[in-house]
């Protein structure tokens, strides 16, 4: 037997009234946040209690790991009129409830000085028996481009292909690169018509470069949370005269050898002059007495022999042998060993230097 229509309508109204009076989370405006490293984020979690919710209020923030095998990590909790924020060491000192009194209906969470490791899914749970509600928020912490470097690859000569390179040492993907000419010849600031840009690698190819390509170029590296830039100057010049450089090098080498040979010749000449002066000074010395003559030496030698003969008896004369006159001492025997000519070391020095020149 079906109930009267009036009874059915009354039951529907009672159910609707019970739902509206239960605990509910009102912050559903945004479920995903993207922030840069070092910034601050506020994860919203506002709620409304009902008269039927009479149990103790419990607000809990947890981090849901990407790996389903791992357990949820409690970050901060409000229970029995007290805040507990020592559950997650990685965020100690960097997190707090937005409202110091969460029971007022605002259980939002502030995370300060964001790090790339803070990326993840966060869940806010509000419990007040018999009501229980939760809300998930996805947080992505991105790193701004930083330490961007510009460089030039290839010869900066007219008619050559030149590549301008740009790369950021830091930055979350996806990074995008863009080049712009800041200043140029005749005030031209647009990129050359014969240029090709790869926004993913940051390479700008300039084909068949001309002097009109010269100027200052800037590269801008960007992602969803920031931008960084660098600049470099391109100076396209005429080709280098290779033949002139070779001829100049040869002339310079020959000139250096000529100078070295002149120095060797001058050094050897000075050594010979010093040697000649020493020999002349040795033969004519004013502080050395003149040598004794041969006649005086011979007479003194014969006189001494006669005196000795006069004292001898005729019987002793038979065994006596006269000393030959050729054995009379001369000045040659009085010359000291140090006065004998020796080999000049200057010849060895000059010969060595000539070998180095050759």
């Amino acid at each position: 037997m079906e109930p009267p229509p009036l009874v059915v309508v009354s039951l529907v109204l009672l159910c609707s009234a019970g739902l509206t009076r239960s605990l509910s989370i009102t912050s559903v405006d945004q479920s995903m946040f993207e922030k840069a490293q070092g910034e601050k984020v506020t994860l919203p979690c506002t709620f409304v209690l009902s008269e039927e919710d009479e149990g103790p209020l419990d607000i809990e923030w947890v981090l849901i790991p990407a790996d389903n095998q791992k357990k949820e990590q409690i970050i901060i909790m409000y229970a029995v009129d007290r805040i507990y924020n020592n559950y997650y060491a990685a965020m100690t000192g960097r997190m707090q409830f937005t409202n110091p009194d969460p029971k007022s209906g605002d259980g939002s969470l502030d995370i300060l000085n964001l790090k790339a490791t803070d990326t993840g899914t966060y869940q806010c749970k509000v419990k007040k028996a018999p009501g229980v509600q939760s809300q998930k928020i996805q947080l992505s912490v991105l790193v701004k481009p930083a330490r961007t470097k510009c460089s030039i690859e290839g010869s900066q000569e007219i008619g050559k292909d030149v590549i301008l390179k740009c790369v950021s040492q830091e930055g979350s993907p996806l990074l995008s690169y863009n080049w712009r000419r800041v200043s140029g010849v005749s005030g031209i600031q647009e990129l050359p018509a014969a240029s090709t840009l790869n926004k993913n690698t940051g390479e700008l190819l300039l084909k068949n470069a001309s002097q009109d390509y010269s100027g200052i170029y800037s590269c801008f590296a960007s992602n969803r949370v920031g931008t960084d830039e660098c600049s470099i100057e391109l100076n396209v010049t005429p080709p280098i005269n290779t033949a002139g450089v070779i001829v100049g090098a040869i002339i310079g080498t020959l000139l250096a050898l000529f100078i070295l040979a002149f120095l060797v010749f001058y050094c050897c000449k000075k050594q010979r002059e010093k040697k000649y002066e020493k020999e002349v000074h040795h033969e004519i010395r004013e502080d050395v007495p003149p040598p004794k003559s041969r006649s005086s030496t011979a007479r003194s030698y014969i006189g001494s022999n006669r005196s000795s003969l006069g004292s001898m008896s005729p019987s002793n004369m038979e065994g006596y042998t006269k000393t030959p006159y050729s054995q009379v001492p001369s000045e040659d025997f009085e010359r000291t060993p140090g006065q004998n000519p020796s080999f000049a070391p200057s010849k060895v020095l000059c010969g060595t230097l000539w070998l180095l020149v050759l």
Side-chain angles (χ1 to χ4, degrees):
M1 180 178 178
E2 296 181 358
L6 181 60
V7 175
V8 175
V9 172
S10 299
L11 290 175
V12 171
L13 290 175
L14 288 173
C15 291
S16 300
L19 290 175
T20 56
R21 291 204 308 265
S22 64
L23 184 153
S24 62
I25 294 179
T26 59
S27 54
V28 292
D29 295 335
Q30 189 174 357
S31 60
M32 181 175 291
F33 288 82
E34 283 187 351
K35 291 290 183 177
Q37 182 174 263
E39 294 182 348
K40 169 190 171 183
V41 66
T42 298
L43 304 181
C45 183
T46 56
F47 57 91
V48 175
L49 300 175
S50 69
E51 297 178 356
E52 295 181 355
D53 299 326
E54 298 178 352
L57 178 63
D58 184 3
I59 304 174
E60 182 180 275
W61 278 96
V62 298
L63 174 61
I64 301 175
D67 187 356
N68 294 329
Q69 303 298 325
K70 296 182 179 180
K71 295 182 179 180
E72 297 179 353
Q73 174 66 53
I74 298 176
I75 298 174
I76 193 170
M77 178 187 294
Y78 175 84
V80 194
D81 297 332
R82 185 177 175 184
I83 296 175
Y84 301 88
N85 57 2
N86 56 353
Y87 290 100
Y88 192 42
M91 286 188 179
T92 300
R94 297 192 298 116
M95 60 181 174
Q96 62 188 15
F97 280 108
T98 304
N99 192 327
D101 187 15
K103 67 181 179 181
S104 63
D106 186 4
S108 302
L109 176 65
D110 289 342
I111 303 178
L112 312 175
N113 191 21
L114 286 169
K115 298 181 179 180
T117 54
D118 296 337
T119 298
T121 302
Y122 295 79
Q123 185 177 32
C124 174
K125 298 179 180 180
V126 181
K127 305 175 185 178
K128 188 172 176 64
V132 177
Q133 290 292 335
S134 64
Q135 175 178 287
K136 292 181 180 180
I137 299 176
Q138 180 68 37
L139 173 63
S140 296
V141 181
L142 304 178
V143 180
K144 295 179 181 180
R147 297 167 56 196
T148 304
K149 303 291 184 181
C150 293
S151 60
I152 298 177
E153 182 179 286
S155 176
Q156 300 182 52
E157 296 181 1
I158 295 177
K160 301 290 185 178
D161 292 345
V162 183
I163 299 177
L164 303 185
K165 290 190 171 184
C166 179
V167 61
S168 292
Q169 304 297 322
E170 298 178 6
S172 299
L174 297 168
L175 286 175
S176 177
Y177 297 94
N178 195 14
W179 280 93
R180 183 165 60 91
R181 181 154 59 163
V182 178
S183 65
V185 180
S186 302
I188 300 175
Q189 295 187 356
E190 293 79 12
L191 290 177
S195 62
T196 304
L197 172 62
N198 188 328
K199 292 188 175 182
N200 296 325
T201 62
E203 293 186 357
L204 178 65
L205 173 61
L206 304 176
K207 297 186 68 65
N208 192 21
S210 66
Q211 285 187 314
D212 292 338
Y213 289 11
S214 298
I216 299 176
Y217 292 75
S218 292
C219 171
F220 299 86
S222 59
N223 58 11
R224 294 194 298 271
V225 294
T227 303
D228 192 32
E229 66 176 291
C230 64
S231 298
I232 197 168
E233 183 176 3
L234 176 65
N235 187 20
V236 181
T237 58
I240 300 174
N241 187 359
T242 308
V245 173
I246 295 175
V247 171
I250 294 175
I251 293 175
T253 303
L254 293 177
L255 182 59
L257 291 175
F258 174 77
I259 294 174
L260 181 59
F262 175 78
L263 292 176
V264 172
F265 173 78
Y266 181 78
C267 178
C268 293
K269 181 180 178 182
K270 285 294 183 181
Q271 291 291 339
R272 287 196 297 270
E273 290 178 355
K274 289 182 180 180
K275 176 186 174 183
Y276 177 76
E277 290 177 358
K278 289 181 179 179
E279 291 178 352
V280 172
H281 183 68
H282 173 72
E283 293 180 359
I284 306 175
R285 294 176 58 185
E286 296 179 357
D287 57 340
V288 178
K292 297 178 181 181
S293 63
R294 291 179 177 268
S295 59
S296 62
T297 305
R299 283 196 296 270
S300 62
Y301 181 74
I302 294 172
S304 63
N305 285 340
R306 285 180 178 177
S307 62
S308 62
L309 289 174
S311 62
M312 295 179 64
S313 61
S315 60
N316 295 330
M317 295 293 292
E318 296 178 357
Y320 179 76
T321 305
K322 293 183 179 180
T323 302
Y325 184 77
S326 61
Q327 296 180 3
V328 177
S330 64
E331 65 274 12
D332 295 337
F333 293 92
E334 296 178 356
R335 180 178 296 175
T336 60
Q339 296 175 355
N340 293 330
S342 59
F343 182 75
S346 60
K347 295 182 179 180
V348 178
L349 176 62
C350 293
T352 304
L353 292 175
W354 277 114
L355 287 175
L356 289 176
V357 173
L358 295 177

